[in-house]
Amino acid sequence: MEQSHILLLPFPSQSHVNPMLQFGKRLASHNLHVTLANTKFLNNTTKPDPGPVSIESISDGFDSDGFNAAPNVESYLDRLESVGSETLSDLIESLKSKSRPVHVLVYDPFLAWAWDVADRFGLRSAAFFTQSCAVDVIYGHVWEGWVEVPVTDRVRLPGLGPLEPRDLPSYVSDSDRVPKYPGYAALLMNQYKNLEKVDVVLVNSFYELEKKEFDWMKSRLPVKSIGPTVPSTYLDNRIPSDSYYVFDTHTIDIAPYIDFLDSNPPRSVIYVSFGSMAAPSPEQTQEIASAFVATKKCFIWVVRKSELAKLPKEFVRETAGRGQVVTWCNQLDVLAHVGTGCFVTHCGWNSTTEGIGLGVPMVGVPQFSDQTTNAKYVEDVWKVGVRVKTDEKGFVRGEELERCIKEVMDGERSGEIRENAKKWSELAKEAISEGGSSDKSIMEFIDECCK
Ligand code: UDX
């Protein structure tokens, strides 16, 4: 029988490519042929470890400088759609002519137009959500017109517990942001476009983590939970492997952060990262820095190169011997290390699932988009950490961050939080192990769509 060929189409940003590539590796381990279509720009500027997944190029219309060359978000997204669908079609044609015809297109619902390409070629189609089910459900309600944006009062929506405006994705609740980034807002609001026509909807979560939310989605869509996409080598006894996709657009410092973790007692080091996009203001960076000066605890803080100038001048001297500032690291290696005791995170969905998968208690400092909802769940639903209190503009004071770190690492509830973190980490591992909920769903996806 001909080997099925799955083409993966992620949204062209690191945190969307990553989970889809991990999923692709998993499919490839079941003897399927898997190709990932990345933009030329990302293929030229990053060196992924694709393992058995073939990498091909499409274009977003900005091959030399990527998103930064676009005059604004809207024109980037317009060109991504027009040039992207044309070059995706070219790629499908060319694979066919090389006797590697594509059978299934797995695409990010940020790229709702990809369904039309799949349809034109008669391919099976799967939409792959890289955000939590809770966030998927919220956008589903917006799509169906059950909530009007921006939401300004507490809401009770089917499939979800009660949510305050601050718990909703920022594009749904923040009246400042909605007109500011109309392109992104529209992209997020339109994720459900075409979903009723796809063969399957995949979510990077696991059933046990979001039962109510998953069931709501299931009542409308052929949804399957296949996550977390954290490589199983990390979840198995926390043994790091080098198979994870670490982008090297960010230089990974030679700084010996793993040695640093080795040299500290178990669960004593704070790991801090705000992901690949968030850029806290200089004032906010100063407040965060003041928390690390005050805690007296050891820490590793990822400050991307473009953000370094925001660090207070005296900071490195004031925390000498107990702090490491790195411009990028292998986050999974750090989270998997027994020396790490607390993850101060912006609560991007990948970071959140990595923290859960590796059982590290978290302090949520959400910045925008889905991060606010993830932070709400970290604190109130999974109870694996706390979320900082902010002013109405989302600004957090250093003393507040310090208080939260203390609460998670040494406070009265720290034992309970650690226990919960351990429980969820075990459930995550079970879900992706043979016979677990996500493993079964992946096998069903293969049976139903890839044979
Ligand atoms: C973005 C959005 O901000 C997020 O809200 C959404 O859920 C996904 O897209 P990003 O901000 O980059 O993502 O955050 P996140 O989803 O947490 O992804 C960051 C990734 O970079 C993680 O996989 C993390 O392991 C990795 N990382 C981060 C590193 O490998 N090294 C680092 O030093 C920092």
Side-chain angles (χ1 to χ4, degrees):
M1 196 171 71
E2 187 185 20
Q3 196 187 20
S4 280
H5 188 181
I6 327 295
L7 181 61
L8 306 175
L9 179 72
F11 182 76
S13 85
Q14 161 161 5
S15 304
H16 287 246
V17 175
N18 234 341
M20 220 188 251
L21 179 63
Q22 297 308 324
F23 178 60
K25 288 182 180 179
R26 184 114 190 187
L27 293 179
S29 74
H30 291 287
N31 200 28
L32 295 164
H33 190 120
V34 184
T35 299
L36 184 139
N38 223 354
T39 57
K40 273 192 191 129
F41 173 71
L42 280 182
N43 277 343
N44 289 339
T45 51
T46 62
K47 287 203 193 84
D49 166 15
V53 175
S54 311
I55 304 285
E56 295 282 352
S57 291
I58 60 156
S59 175
D60 55 5
F62 297 94
D63 295 343
S64 323
D65 296 303
F67 174 74
N68 292 334
N72 53 44
V73 175
E74 293 73 54
S75 44
Y76 178 76
L77 295 174
D78 280 351
R79 257 178 100 65
L80 175 62
E81 175 165 351
S82 58
V83 182
S85 49
E86 202 180 301
T87 51
L88 178 65
S89 303
D90 294 345
L91 173 63
I92 295 170
E93 293 278 13
S94 122
L95 290 168
K96 192 171 173 195
S97 70
K98 290 177 194 153
S99 307
R100 288 161 58 204
V102 175
H103 302 98
V104 188
L105 180 68
V106 178
Y107 70 92
D108 194 311
F110 279 24
L111 310 172
W113 48 262
W115 182 84
D116 299 302
V117 178
D119 185 49
R120 209 170 324 122
F121 285 92
L123 308 180
R124 286 180 169 259
S125 57
F128 182 110
F129 275 108
T130 57
Q131 59 208 6
S132 75
C133 289
V135 170
D136 300 339
V137 173
I138 293 168
Y139 282 118
H141 290 314
V142 174
W143 176 255
E144 292 185 1
W146 295 13
V147 282
E148 209 168 296
V149 170
V151 178
T152 49
D153 287 318
R154 169 185 256 227
V155 278
R156 259 221 94 121
L157 296 164
L160 299 160
L163 296 170
E164 301 294 336
R166 68 192 279 269
D167 305 328
L168 296 164
S170 60
Y171 293 101
V172 175
S173 63
D174 184 338
S175 47
D176 283 350
R177 248 176 232 286
V178 176
K180 204 161 152 196
Y181 301 109
Y184 266 136
L187 179 92
L188 291 160
M189 305 305 164
N190 286 330
Q191 295 178 79
Y192 274 63
K193 189 175 169 201
N194 288 333
L195 282 199
E196 75 288 357
K197 296 184 271 192
V198 299
D199 291 292
V200 60
V201 174
L202 304 166
V203 288
N204 183 14
S205 186
F206 58 103
Y207 181 64
E208 293 73 14
L209 191 69
E210 298 189 277
K211 283 186 185 164
K212 194 165 38 163
E213 295 77 3
F214 180 89
D215 288 342
W216 183 87
M217 290 184 81
K218 186 88 188 160
S219 69
R220 294 170 148 62
L221 298 164
V223 63
K224 295 186 192 301
S225 53
I226 53 80
T229 52
V230 178
S232 55
T233 41
Y234 277 92
L235 298 185
D236 283 339
N237 307 319
R238 300 179 111 200
I239 299 170
S241 86
D242 60 0
S243 67
Y244 202 58
Y245 186 28
V246 178
F247 275 60
D248 71 353
T249 36
H250 312 271
T251 315
I252 295 188
D253 292 359
I254 311 299
Y257 57 87
I258 294 295
D259 290 351
F260 180 70
L261 285 166
D262 285 343
S263 68
N264 277 291
R267 295 197 301 270
S268 65
V269 178
I270 308 162
Y271 168 64
V272 197
S273 164
F274 293 90
S276 64
M277 292 163 81
S281 66
E283 297 74 31
Q284 183 61 90
T285 307
Q286 197 142 9
E287 289 293 324
I288 296 167
S290 75
F292 295 114
V293 172
T295 72
K296 305 276 183 278
K297 288 183 184 297
C298 291
F299 65 88
I300 297 170
W301 184 2
V302 179
V303 183
R304 297 190 314 274
K305 267 205 184 110
S306 53
E307 297 290 295
L308 273 177
K310 295 180 186 169
L311 275 183
K313 282 201 174 57
E314 296 299 298
F315 179 71
V316 171
R317 190 184 53 75
E318 283 173 342
T319 56
R322 63 181 178 88
Q324 295 247 331
V325 173
V326 297
T327 54
W328 199 247
C329 69
N330 184 330
Q331 179 160 301
L332 284 166
D333 279 352
V334 173
L335 292 177
H337 197 289
V338 68
T340 304
C342 169
F343 181 14
V344 175
T345 170
H346 70 313
C347 291
W349 185 237
N350 294 296
S351 294
T352 305
T353 53
E354 290 163 13
I356 286 173
L358 292 162
V360 183
M362 291 182 252
V363 173
V365 189
Q367 304 291 302
F368 62 95
S369 194
D370 57 340
Q371 298 157 15
T372 32
T373 311
N374 301 338
K376 156 78 180 172
Y377 274 64
V378 162
E379 179 172 66
D380 286 342
V381 180
W382 307 312
K383 300 184 183 346
V384 292
V386 299
R387 170 188 186 174
V388 292
K389 293 193 175 38
T390 66
D391 68 13
E392 67 286 354
K393 292 211 170 333
F395 192 82
V396 55
R397 293 271 162 219
E399 302 87 53
E400 166 63 5
L401 178 55
E402 191 197 352
R403 180 191 70 77
C404 290
I405 291 170
K406 237 187 228 153
E407 189 171 340
V408 161
M409 294 182 85
D410 317 302
E412 254 176 53
R413 289 181 49 228
S414 59
E416 182 197 327
I417 290 174
R418 263 201 304 278
E419 277 306 304
N420 287 335
K422 188 163 166 243
K423 175 190 91 180
W424 284 115
S425 142
E426 279 159 9
L427 288 170
K429 186 176 157 187
E430 261 171 53
I432 62 160
S433 301
E434 200 178 334
S437 56
S438 293
D439 179 64
K440 274 197 207 148
S441 300
I442 293 171
M443 298 314 292
E444 280 170 23
F445 168 65
I446 294 174
D447 281 346
E448 291 166 16
C449 293
C450 310
K451 287 199 167 146

